[in-house]
Amino acid sequence: MAFEPKRPQKKLNYQELRLYTDEQLKNYTEEEVKNFKPKHDIPKLEQLEDGPWPSFVADAKRYALRRHKLGQENLLINEDVVDDLLGQLELSYVHGETHWKHGGIVGVIGYGGGVIGRYSDVPEQFPGVAHFHTMRVNQVPSKFYDTNFLRGLCDLWEYRGSGLLNMHGSTGDIILLGTFTEQLEPIFQELTQVLDVDLGGSGSNLRTPECCVGKARCEYALYDTQEMCYEMVMHYQDELHRPAFPYKFKFKFDGCPNGCVASIARADMSFIGTWKDDIRINQDAVQAYINGEFPPGGGSHKGRDWGKFDIYAEVIDRCPTGCMSMEDGKLVIDNANCTRCMHCINTMPRALKPGVETGVSILFGAKAPILEGAQMSVMVIPFMKAEPPYDNIKEIIDRTFEWWMEEGKNRERLGETIQRVGLQRFCEIIGVPPAPQMVKEPRTNPYIFWKEEDVPGGFKRDIDDYRSRHAR
Amino acid sequence: MALSKDKLGRFNPDNPMENRVTDIGPRHYWQYFPPVIQRNYGKWDYHEILEPGVLVHVSETGDKAYTVRCGGMRFMSVEFLREICDIADKFADGYVRFTTRNNIEFIVDSLEKVEALKAELAKHKFYSGSYKFPIGGTGAGVTNVVHTQGFIHCHTAAVDASSMVKAIMDGVFEHFTAMDLPAQVRISMACCLNMCGAVHCSDIALLGYHRKPPVIDHEIIDKVCEIPLAIASCPTAAIAPAKTEDGRKTVRIKEERCMFCGNCYTMCPALPLADGEGDCVVMLAGGKLSNRISPPKFSKVVIPYLPNNHPLFPEVVAAVKQVLEAYAKDARKYERLGDWAERIGWEKFFEKCGLPFTEHLIDDYRLAYDTYRTSTQFKYTDAAWAVTRAAEGEE
Amino acid sequence: MEDIKKAIVEFLESGKTKTKFYFKDIEKAVKDKVPNARTLQIKKACSALINEGVLIYYSTGSTTMYGLKGKGITEDH
């Protein structure tokens, strides 16, 4: 816990970092925004300006105005980049087709990931986005920031890039959207040398690991997701930047079975917090829920009148294993039959808490549908301690990497390799015995690939011996 | 240290390795925790959602952390990010957090600060009237749609993402700012089947889909592409080497094997897939990620085709609302959309949502047989009677 | 290390129409030539060759390949 970075952290102060003066930062009025006409006509996009949800078009338009007011002398890539992006987007809406091409070569020296090359296929019409390369910046684990870092990043990206970004991309990185090839190296140098932050992953490497909010602000966190995520991303920097895997590989760290960072659907190795002792019960608080003193679900259903809280209908009868009951006015849990689905805890968070002997379940092999169809991660290690320096877990990771690099085919995700060679083989590799926790049910076909050493006498047989008992 | 203003900054093209810093990873998280988080790290006792978008976490120490959650745009300008910073500096001691679903969270240590924040956030509106920081996205409601890049940045996108998300969130906004559904509903959007987002385990998922194989630009393919790479890029081995009539190298596509992923186009710009006329949107439903009550499950395809009507996607928005309202009316408390569909039966799901069941919804990919019903247990709907009539030779 | 680097370059030079290779293809070719080479060493040799400017990465975004600088496509179009 506390502040234990792997390397000294530069103190970032925006006043020292800054590229723009206060006057340059506040360089337009609301009136000017209202009257602003971007370079290209964008009637379709302008249909997205009203309505209650934040409008990316309204945001982009005012930012286009801001770039014009700043002027090309204060920007290193085209002042018109946002106008041209909106223009190309409008054209894409008209055609119902994207106008981007992919590039494979651009990047920063020595790294095989972190930069995605992109080019417009209508560059004469929209020269500002002729190049529109992406840079992935490794986010702070669980995405807390202060304004010194963010304002510094804004100035850097406005000066050397499009000033457009994602907070955050699907895998978790900050995504800087759109710059020219010439600026890739300078931006990388500013990021690493000044803002003290590295690029994230892309291509056949370890993708930027991601974790949930964890112990920072959640009572359900069963291990320190931030610390473990940070430790792993630092430990596996080479795997993150220099691709040599058969395909992408993702770690995600969920603090509990609620799964807020989707590890079970998206990560080749999903680390999900769990516990092995008993759910802690505060019987007074259970009574308070029954009496209606506490809102069920931490108030999650306040928007509709669902009637008085009914502990049977809402908790006991909903328990998937039926391991809960009321005896003499007290809530009783048969913990040996609990599968830790979190429903009772989620519903009565002030009365029930997970156990105190906590660790992680490790599941392997999730991926999106391409190619063999979607896969979720498979339960392989029901429980492991997850405490610094995590050597026990790194050992499992290293065995997994080594085997997959050897056994995996090009463009085969870990889950597909496991599917192809069988879960039992994978268990052998990482050194765990088979267990019924790994399957929903045992196999229904008897086509067992018996090994020679499993069968008395082995596979070498003598036909004469056989014939001594059986005529031809 | 100041950021550089030089054109090439700290990069020296004559000596690119000079002062090079690599492998430093992310910034450490601890320095970005607000004080109330630092003091109570790992000590949280319980939480409560006070109202949509406002949470309190109560520590064993008695400290309280209040979070105000706002719907966010994943795609934003630095100007928007600076506006977030202005609010954070004034009202949240300079700290801000983003969620996995692209929401924005300000964390403060008193209710007075919450009220001040709420008043401030309500004031921030775009000139066009839309909110910049709508408060909500908690509990049993619809939270932000996670999505992919779409036409803003992607070369394989079959539809745009940001516009569809904006249209959907405008359409279901009342459920973002209220917690009036049986359980949380997670909507996701991916602009092609590569699915850069986790749409395959969402309550409602929208997926852009190409429906035509790449068209080959024989004129230039040999010049702009490395043909063996294009061939190797195809996950289904649908691309084979070929010769043009005048003997130049090209490829041919085994069209029946194409799954429309766009990997070949990545390798070879002479193999474009995009086709405004053919591309469409697919809707999936009933997936989830959490282990609560039932195990995580995949989303199922419930509408094979919706038109790609940029930018407002009226048919997509209507379909989302149709499914959402049927679910809101019929499901039990705590029941996720997929749990509801399984309890009532998928035949009833189609009936209650008013969705037609077409041949496209029956799986014919790998492991398809596992999805076929091998039991006499079913419920009667009009679709069953249509089968009966056809089997008996009636009109 | 030098023998591994040499084997990598020789393999990458041997391609006729194909100039970009997955790491696994390189690994296999090197192990045929330098039987005691270990995967991690081969990766390190590739990284060194990248830093020396002999090799380049070629990335689709989802997967990555290696190629010789100057052979086949070496600039984005």
Side-chain angles (χ1 to χ4, degrees):
Chain A
M1 237 184 265
F3 197 41
E4 291 171 2
K6 290 276 141 188
R7 57 184 176 83
Q9 302 277 298
K10 268 190 189 139
K11 186 110 182 91
L12 300 179
N13 180 342
Y14 176 64
Q15 294 313 327
E16 290 166 21
L17 296 169
R18 66 189 299 168
L19 290 171
Y20 297 109
T21 63
D22 283 341
E23 293 69 39
Q24 284 174 319
L25 286 180
K26 300 274 173 250
N27 68 351
Y28 60 91
T29 64
E30 277 299 295
E31 203 51 36
E32 286 175 296
V33 178
K34 260 182 218 157
N35 299 322
F36 173 64
K37 287 266 168 285
K39 186 168 121 192
H40 309 279
D41 282 338
I42 50 169
K44 283 185 181 283
L45 274 159
E46 281 167 349
Q47 294 176 41
L48 296 163
E49 283 186 281
D50 49 14
W53 191 251
S55 166
F56 69 96
V57 178
D59 176 40
K61 266 173 73 173
R62 75 157 167 179
Y63 181 57
L65 167 70
R66 165 172 167 71
R67 282 184 81 92
H68 293 308
K69 303 268 297 194
L70 266 180
Q72 194 64 64
E73 66 275 19
N74 291 305
L75 298 163
L76 287 179
I77 76 161
N78 202 321
E79 159 187 338
D80 292 343
V81 57
V82 182
D83 298 76
D84 281 351
L85 179 72
L86 291 173
Q88 179 171 319
L89 196 53
E90 179 76 14
L91 185 69
S92 300
Y93 290 177
V94 172
H95 292 159
E97 294 169 359
T98 185
H99 281 286
W100 296 111
K101 293 192 292 186
H102 193 285
I105 308 282
V106 295
V108 298
I109 299 164
Y111 279 12
V115 177
I116 316 282
R118 194 75 73 208
Y119 300 88
S120 170
D121 70 8
V122 277
E124 294 79 18
Q125 220 173 325
F126 307 108
V129 294
H131 297 200
F132 204 66
H133 309 317
T134 296
M135 300 183 84
R136 296 182 178 171
V137 179
N138 197 329
Q139 82 285 4
V140 177
S142 66
K143 308 185 180 91
F144 283 87
Y145 297 95
D146 73 3
T147 58
N148 282 304
F149 176 78
L150 292 178
R151 289 183 194 274
L153 186 71
C154 286
D155 279 21
L156 165 63
W157 183 237
E158 177 160 55
Y159 189 57
R160 295 182 187 275
S162 72
L164 300 169
L165 71 166
N166 290 147
M167 298 294 291
H168 298 72
S170 300
T171 299
D173 304 275
I174 296 174
I175 299 194
L176 305 179
L177 284 166
T179 193
F180 275 63
T181 305
E182 181 190 58
Q183 282 301 325
L184 292 173
E185 277 294 339
I187 292 167
F188 176 68
Q189 304 283 354
E190 294 297 293
L191 286 171
T192 53
Q193 293 187 40
V194 186
L195 292 180
D196 200 24
V197 66
D198 210 332
L199 294 185
S202 66
S204 309
N205 62 13
L206 176 66
R207 298 304 181 85
T208 316
E210 191 182 24
C211 62
C212 69
V213 70
K215 288 182 185 284
R217 202 204 52 204
C218 184
E219 66 271 29
Y220 301 148
L222 295 161
Y223 68 100
D224 197 332
T225 55
Q226 272 112 352
E227 186 188 55
M228 188 164 164
C229 182
Y230 180 75
E231 172 63 29
M232 294 306 176
V233 73
M234 295 307 291
H235 187 76
Y236 291 104
Q237 280 288 297
D238 189 55
E239 285 75 6
L240 198 153
H241 298 302
R242 295 171 197 86
F245 288 152
Y247 203 8
K248 64 183 90 167
F249 194 98
K250 297 184 182 181
F251 288 145
K252 285 189 193 289
F253 302 90
D254 272 315
C256 83
N258 283 330
C260 291
V261 290
S263 69
I264 204 163
R266 305 193 53 197
D268 299 84
M269 267 183 102
S270 321
F271 299 91
I272 304 179
T274 195
W275 67 94
K276 60 179 177 181
D277 53 341
D278 293 351
I279 292 176
R280 290 170 286 161
I281 309 176
N282 175 339
Q283 297 290 354
D284 292 340
V286 173
Q287 213 50 56
Y289 277 104
I290 293 171
N291 297 341
E293 293 159 34
F294 298 148
S300 60
H301 286 68
K302 280 179 181 171
R304 196 199 283 192
D305 182 7
W306 290 93
K308 191 173 178 298
F309 176 71
D310 176 344
I311 194 167
Y312 284 97
E314 300 192 30
V315 181
I316 294 175
D317 297 344
R318 302 303 277 276
C319 171
T321 63
C323 73
M324 306 181 85
S325 57
M326 292 295 283
E327 285 170 27
D328 303 328
K330 300 246 187 279
L331 181 68
V332 178
I333 300 176
D334 171 10
N335 280 281
N337 282 305
C338 168
T339 52
R340 301 169 308 287
C341 84
M342 297 292 293
H343 175 63
C344 60
I345 297 172
N346 286 333
T347 309
M348 303 195 293
R350 297 181 70 165
L352 300 178
K353 297 190 186 307
V356 292
E357 292 177 41
T358 62
V360 288
S361 293
I362 308 181
L363 296 82
F364 293 80
K367 53 179 278 293
I370 208 167
L371 171 73
E372 295 288 328
Q375 289 179 194
M376 276 189 253
S377 281
V378 177
M379 171 63 68
V380 175
I381 303 180
F383 185 94
M384 250 179 129
K385 279 261 175 236
E387 284 162 12
Y390 307 99
D391 287 343
N392 55 340
I393 291 170
K394 286 176 191 160
E395 180 73 23
I396 299 282
I397 295 170
D398 290 343
R399 278 183 227 157
T400 305
F401 282 168
E402 196 183 336
W403 174 75
W404 180 53
M405 285 176 76
E406 181 73 27
E407 195 70 35
K409 295 181 177 171
N410 290 327
R411 291 181 63 83
E412 188 176 63
R413 290 284 289 268
L414 177 71
E416 291 165 313
T417 314
I418 294 174
Q419 156 114 339
R420 182 165 55 77
V421 305
L423 182 57
Q424 44 276 78
R425 173 89 186 113
F426 182 65
C427 290
E428 256 174 61
I429 295 304
I430 61 168
V432 298
Q437 282 79 4
M438 298 171 183
V439 295
K440 285 185 197 133
E441 56 188 23
R443 67 196 302 158
T444 53
N445 67 67
Y447 309 141
I448 299 165
F449 291 95
W450 291 107
K451 290 177 203 151
E452 184 165 14
E453 61 268 27
D454 293 334
V455 189
F459 288 174
K460 301 276 175 296
R461 290 195 287 157
D462 181 5
I463 189 64
D464 294 337
D465 172 51
Y466 181 82
R467 287 293 164 224
S468 70
R469 301 189 299 279
H470 305 273
R472 262 187 190 139
Chain B
M1 194 191 284
L3 289 162
S4 167
K5 283 202 167 176
D6 294 343
K7 187 147 197 261
L8 293 182
R10 288 167 171 80
F11 177 58
N12 175 2
D14 298 327
N15 182 7
M17 300 318 248
E18 186 180 270
N19 297 328
R20 199 170 190 81
V21 174
T22 66
D23 299 77
I24 58 171
R27 300 281 293 163
H28 194 277
Y29 49 90
W30 191 265
Q31 59 202 313
Y32 297 120
F33 289 154
V36 65
I37 298 290
Q38 288 196 356
R39 284 199 305 274
N40 297 286
Y41 195 78
K43 296 180 191 156
W44 299 107
D45 186 25
Y46 67 91
H47 76 278
E48 189 179 331
I49 305 170
L50 298 174
E51 60 185 66
V54 181
L55 302 104
V56 59
H57 284 77
V58 181
S59 165
E60 289 163 1
T61 67
D63 278 0
K64 291 179 179 175
Y66 295 89
T67 302
V68 179
R69 181 179 294 171
C70 312
M73 300 174 292
R74 157 179 158 149
F75 170 68
M76 65 176 78
S77 69
V78 291
E79 199 56 4
F80 193 79
L81 189 49
R82 286 180 180 130
E83 198 166 336
I84 295 172
C85 289
D86 290 343
I87 295 169
D89 278 338
K90 254 193 224 152
F91 296 90
D93 303 318
Y95 297 97
V96 62
R97 173 177 183 255
F98 296 85
T99 72
T100 316
R101 301 190 75 88
N102 305 110
N103 288 316
I104 303 158
E105 291 185 340
F106 299 100
I107 301 173
V108 294
D109 56 11
S110 77
L111 265 178
E112 293 74 58
K113 290 182 184 172
V114 169
E115 290 309 319
L117 247 174
K118 278 167 55 187
E120 175 71 14
L121 292 167
K123 279 191 254 165
H124 288 252
K125 280 188 161 190
F126 284 108
Y127 57 86
S128 51
S130 69
Y131 292 105
K132 288 177 178 168
F133 303 103
I135 299 171
T138 50
V142 173
T143 186
N144 206 347
V145 178
V146 289
H147 64 94
T148 53
Q149 298 288 17
F151 292 171
I152 280 174
H153 199 256
C154 187
H155 67 294
T156 65
V159 294
D160 185 42
S162 305
S163 52
M164 192 195 295
V165 168
K166 162 77 173 145
I168 291 172
M169 286 311 292
D170 279 343
V172 301
F173 190 71
E174 68 201 63
H175 297 296
F176 178 82
T177 53
M179 302 186 288
D180 55 354
L181 297 173
Q184 67 266 47
V185 173
R186 300 285 184 249
I187 306 178
S188 311
M189 194 275 153
C191 46
C192 81
L193 89 178
N194 287 306
M195 291 196 196
C196 302
V199 314
H200 57 294
C201 294
S202 305
D203 294 280
I204 297 177
L206 288 318
L207 177 66
Y209 214 85
H210 295 296
R211 293 191 301 163
K212 297 185 187 180
V215 49
I216 305 163
D217 192 344
H218 295 290
E219 290 281 308
I220 56 153
I221 188 164
D222 197 22
K223 292 185 208 87
V224 300
C225 313
E226 211 167 282
I227 287 176
L229 278 190
I231 293 169
S233 73
C234 180
T236 62
I239 307 178
K243 287 259 163 81
T244 59
E245 277 176 19
D246 52 352
R248 276 174 302 128
K249 283 186 189 145
T250 185
V251 298
R252 71 189 164 81
I253 312 280
K254 298 170 202 157
E255 291 182 347
E256 72 287 357
R257 298 187 79 155
C258 178
M259 65 190 294
F260 319 108
C261 70
N263 272 317
C264 54
Y265 181 59
T266 298
M267 288 297 190
C268 176
L271 293 171
L273 275 90
D275 186 279
E277 191 184 53
D279 297 342
C280 73
V281 181
V282 179
M283 187 198 272
L284 299 91
K288 72 197 260 292
L289 289 162
S290 104
N291 287 273
R292 186 175 185 174
I293 303 182
S294 65
K297 46 189 148 222
F298 291 125
S299 317
K300 289 89 183 165
V301 179
V302 296
I303 305 180
Y305 170 90
L306 287 162
N308 56 346
N309 257 330
H310 297 89
L312 294 177
F313 297 93
E315 299 85 355
V316 173
V317 176
V320 169
K321 285 168 99 165
Q322 207 172 317
V323 171
L324 200 58
E325 298 312 324
Y327 159 75
K329 216 169 91 191
D330 200 59
R332 295 175 183 165
K333 193 178 180 186
Y334 306 118
E335 202 167 48
R336 293 287 290 265
L337 200 146
D339 292 329
W340 167 65
E342 284 173 16
R343 176 173 59 80
I344 63 173
W346 282 98
E347 61 272 44
K348 281 281 174 193
F349 169 90
F350 283 94
E351 185 182 64
K352 285 182 191 283
C353 293
L355 299 176
F357 188 87
T358 69
E359 62 176 85
H360 310 99
L361 303 179
I362 298 178
D363 197 353
D364 55 2
Y365 200 62
R366 294 156 201 185
L367 308 176
Y369 209 94
D370 291 353
T371 64
Y372 299 165
R373 189 174 310 210
T374 51
S375 121
T376 57
Q377 300 182 4
F378 63 87
K379 293 179 183 174
Y380 290 109
T381 63
D382 285 348
W385 299 123
V387 175
T388 302
R389 284 194 301 277
E392 292 182 348
E394 294 168 29
E395 272 299 294
Chain C
M1 189 67 155
E2 288 310 313
D3 51 340
I4 296 175
K5 280 159 89 173
K6 190 163 158 273
I8 293 169
V9 173
E10 277 171 18
F11 172 65
L12 292 177
E13 278 170 346
S14 70
K16 287 199 177 69
T17 51
K18 201 173 155 189
T19 68
K20 306 288 182 295
F21 295 88
Y22 287 113
F23 178 75
K24 284 197 73 75
D25 306 334
I26 295 173
E27 185 193 3
K28 190 171 169 299
V30 171
K31 283 183 174 171
D32 285 347
K33 275 201 180 160
V34 189
N36 60 353
R38 297 192 42 236
T39 303
L40 203 61
Q41 293 173 313
I42 302 171
K43 183 187 169 178
K44 284 210 167 111
C46 283
S47 300
L49 287 166
I50 294 261
N51 284 337
E52 291 161 22
V54 180
L55 298 195
I56 54 165
Y57 288 114
Y58 187 88
S59 173
T60 69
S62 64
T63 47
T64 313
M65 285 176 275
Y66 293 79
L68 271 184
K69 196 176 173 105
K71 195 157 189 272
I73 298 170
T74 54
E75 293 288 334
D76 280 332
H77 25 82

